[in-house]
Amino acid sequence: LVAVLFVSAETSFEGHVVIRMQIIDKKAFETFFKIFPHDSLDVWSNDGAITMNGIMDIRFTPEQYKKFLTVKDLFSSNEAKFEVLHYNLQNLLDMEAKQIEAAQAEFDKKLAAVQTAEQKSSLYLSDEYFKSYHKLEQLIAFENELIKAYPNMISKEVIGKSFQGRDLYVYRVHAPGSFNPSKPALFVDSLMHAREWITPPVVQWSIRELLTKYGSDQKITDLLNKANLYALTAVNPDGYVHTSSNRMWRKNMRSDSSGLHGVDLNRNFKAGFGGSGSSGDKRSETYRGTAALSEPESKAISNFLNGHKDIKGGIDFHSYSELILRPWGKSSSASPNEQIFSQVGAEMQAGIRSVHGKSYSNIRASQLYVASGIFTDELYESHGFQKVAHTIELRPGRFGGGGFILPPSQIIPTCQENVPVMLTGLKYVSQ
Ligand code: 0X9
Ligand code: ZN
């Protein structure tokens, strides 16, 4: 009975169909848009909206898929075409769950075999931790182990609480000794969107890299001598907890008298708030909320950054598509800092490529699609960061079809190739 109850609490994606499509023909677009106003679909492919010309990966519920079949004939030319990526999304999710269960069991087995606090700490600090995705408590446990192992290089503070009341932790990483707040600093964050599971390990790996290689790696030593790092590894802890029963959840857990709807935190910032590429409809995946910074998570970040004049740049980790994005997101024009943002992006791109040969595209956020109230623009416009104000979209690539599902075997390579991104950020804030 317990098992049955547990299963029934899960959101199933049985019969959900993921379709890749491209609509160039105006009539087909109009028909499609009429039956699927963009608020009603989950557009995976980053832009979060239905657009003409672009290649879109979209998740259809079984009901939506039935509707799509009635207009399918419109999609049979080069001007309007589609391809099914997943006939049943639940199959992909079941496969992921199986992989993670096995990887997690391995880690749990090793954790259970541990005898002493030192052994536990070295297990957490080893690569074993990065062979699986972990629940929120274990993300925090990992971070606490770092603090225990390197008390003179990392500490944490609570900068606010999530909608459901969870603490939002920022980790301060610095050269050994007492924290010197007069050094310039870089801010990084992950897990703004709940389903983007690859983002926290990427930031955690880089933190571990700084801690363990200070003193032996010249580049890291020099950088940390000049600059500090602040890391918020779980912007949206509530949403992340929710993804263990609803894998495709993106927004925070804002609810009202009509129930849970959630706000897209990456549409809730001040810069361009309310503009295009965000929705006023609560049901939308890109619902912007009732006002700029209406959400406790975005408000906490904003207060924190306002209170830290030492912070000179920020990097926001998302998935997927393998991109390096820079302002603007809210408008297709180039920002006054286009040249330097693009140069910093190019250096990140080269660094990524040097590790496993992956080519992340270095583009303006709006080249993906115009979106408003996003954090990249906030870093630049509201906080005045002049060189580093980037969003990284991690693996997988845009056309692999996996979307937010990245096999655990790819966690470590993704983490490794993003160390140079963090180092580039540190370099530019310290110049
Ligand atoms: O839509 C977003 O918030 C980001 N993509 S994600 O798939 N991680 O949700 C991209 C934001 C980048 N900005 C623009 N496209 N303007
Ligand atoms: Zn995201």
Side-chain angles (χ1 to χ4, degrees):
L1 181 65
V2 172
V4 171
L5 282 177
F6 182 70
V7 169
S8 66
E10 303 254 329
T11 302
S12 169
F13 293 88
E14 197 63 39
H16 287 229
V17 182
V18 181
I19 293 180
R20 174 165 299 165
M21 59 170 66
Q22 185 178 28
I23 316 175
I24 295 164
D25 177 64
K26 202 155 178 259
K27 205 172 141 264
F29 181 77
E30 278 162 6
T31 310
F32 185 81
F33 199 79
K34 212 178 287 159
I35 48 173
F36 297 115
H38 81 70
D39 289 326
S40 70
L41 289 172
D42 180 13
V43 185
W44 279 14
S45 47
N46 280 304
D47 19 65
I50 296 164
T51 54
M52 262 176 87
N53 302 320
I55 296 170
M56 303 175 287
D57 290 356
I58 304 177
R59 172 173 63 92
F60 291 80
T61 64
E63 298 72 40
Q64 288 168 336
Y65 183 58
K66 257 190 227 143
K67 263 207 244 172
F68 174 71
L69 290 179
T70 67
V71 294
K72 166 174 163 277
D73 290 347
L74 285 171
F75 289 81
S76 50
S77 72
N78 262 343
E79 301 284 277
K81 55 187 169 193
F82 79 98
E83 159 196 5
V84 174
L85 297 181
H86 302 288
Y87 276 102
N88 183 3
L89 177 61
Q90 191 59 46
N91 289 346
L92 179 69
L93 300 185
D94 289 346
M95 194 171 75
E96 180 194 46
K98 240 187 244 154
Q99 288 171 342
I100 294 175
E101 211 177 292
Q104 183 68 49
E106 273 294 301
F107 186 72
D108 288 346
K109 206 168 75 193
K110 292 187 172 122
L111 207 52
V114 147
Q115 311 278 346
T116 65
E118 286 71 35
Q119 286 172 343
K120 184 173 160 215
S121 162
S122 65
L123 176 64
Y124 267 104
L125 293 185
S126 75
D127 289 0
E128 295 303 316
Y129 170 81
F130 293 93
K131 291 181 180 167
S132 182
Y133 295 102
H134 300 285
K135 295 222 150 63
L136 182 66
E137 308 82 73
Q138 228 161 41
L139 296 184
I140 297 171
F142 171 85
E143 290 152 357
N144 287 335
E145 289 298 334
L146 291 180
I147 294 174
K148 267 194 242 160
Y150 296 88
N152 65 342
M153 290 185 75
I154 176 169
S155 57
K156 68 174 170 183
E157 64 180 289
V158 175
I159 65 155
K161 283 191 190 299
S162 65
F163 182 78
Q164 293 178 331
R166 293 185 175 85
D167 286 333
L168 302 173
Y169 297 109
V170 163
Y171 296 87
R172 303 190 300 194
V173 184
H174 54 93
S178 59
F179 180 75
N180 177 355
S182 65
K183 284 185 191 174
L186 174 72
F187 176 83
V188 297
D189 73 277
S190 44
L191 209 57
M192 186 175 290
H193 288 142
R195 61 189 172 186
E196 298 165 13
W197 289 4
I198 180 60
T199 61
V202 161
V203 173
Q204 292 179 324
W205 178 283
S206 274
I207 294 175
R208 188 189 67 162
E209 201 75 0
L210 294 176
L211 298 175
T212 56
K213 297 207 172 144
Y214 181 91
S216 61
D217 180 299
Q218 197 55 48
K219 192 170 175 189
I220 285 177
T221 309
D222 289 346
L223 284 172
L224 222 44
N225 283 340
K226 283 193 215 142
N228 296 317
L229 176 76
Y230 292 94
L232 171 56
T233 50
V235 174
N236 180 10
D238 300 350
Y240 187 56
V241 169
H242 191 55
T243 56
S244 46
S245 56
N246 181 348
R247 180 67 181 87
M248 287 297 126
W249 192 257
R250 163 182 171 95
K251 300 183 280 183
N252 79 349
M253 291 296 279
R254 166 73 66 180
S255 60
D256 59 17
S257 54
S258 62
L260 167 67
H261 55 81
V263 169
D264 183 354
L265 296 173
N266 209 23
R267 298 293 181 277
N268 189 243
F269 289 94
K270 272 185 300 191
F273 180 82
S276 59
S278 72
S279 172
D281 186 327
K282 283 181 201 170
R283 291 163 306 176
S284 168
E285 294 293 348
T286 52
Y287 175 52
R288 65 177 85 101
T290 52
L293 306 180
S294 59
E295 302 313 293
E297 297 86 359
S298 45
K299 184 75 191 158
I301 298 177
S302 170
N303 288 343
F304 178 75
L305 293 177
N306 285 335
H308 279 81
K309 297 304 167 209
D310 52 329
I311 300 179
K312 308 287 184 208
I315 307 174
D316 180 28
F317 286 92
H318 287 253
S319 72
Y320 62 97
S321 286
E322 299 175 359
L323 304 169
I324 300 158
L325 304 174
R326 60 181 183 270
W328 299 116
K330 62 176 184 174
S331 127
S332 52
S333 58
S335 80
N337 289 38
E338 170 69 6
Q339 212 264 321
I340 179 71
F341 283 148
S342 136
Q343 181 190 320
V344 172
E347 209 164 308
M348 292 172 170
Q349 178 188 48
I352 293 170
R353 193 181 287 128
S354 72
V355 179
H356 295 294
K358 281 271 176 200
S359 287
Y360 288 38
S361 307
N362 176 32
I363 58 173
R364 296 206 289 266
S366 61
Q367 283 173 272
L368 196 58
Y369 184 68
V370 171
S372 312
I374 68 169
F375 193 46
T376 305
D377 286 355
E378 187 81 348
L379 293 170
Y380 176 47
E381 184 178 88
S382 303
H383 300 291
F385 300 158
Q386 298 296 318
K387 296 174 187 167
V388 190
H390 291 71
T391 293
I392 309 295
E393 299 279 0
L394 299 165
R395 294 191 192 193
R398 187 147 182 216
F399 298 109
F404 303 98
I405 310 304
L406 182 72
S409 58
Q410 294 218 25
I411 299 171
I412 290 178
T414 309
C415 291
Q416 289 169 327
E417 72 198 5
N418 280 281
V419 172
V421 170
M422 189 85 82
L423 299 185
T424 302
L426 283 169
K427 174 183 147 186
Y428 277 94
V429 296
S430 64
Q431 276 176 358

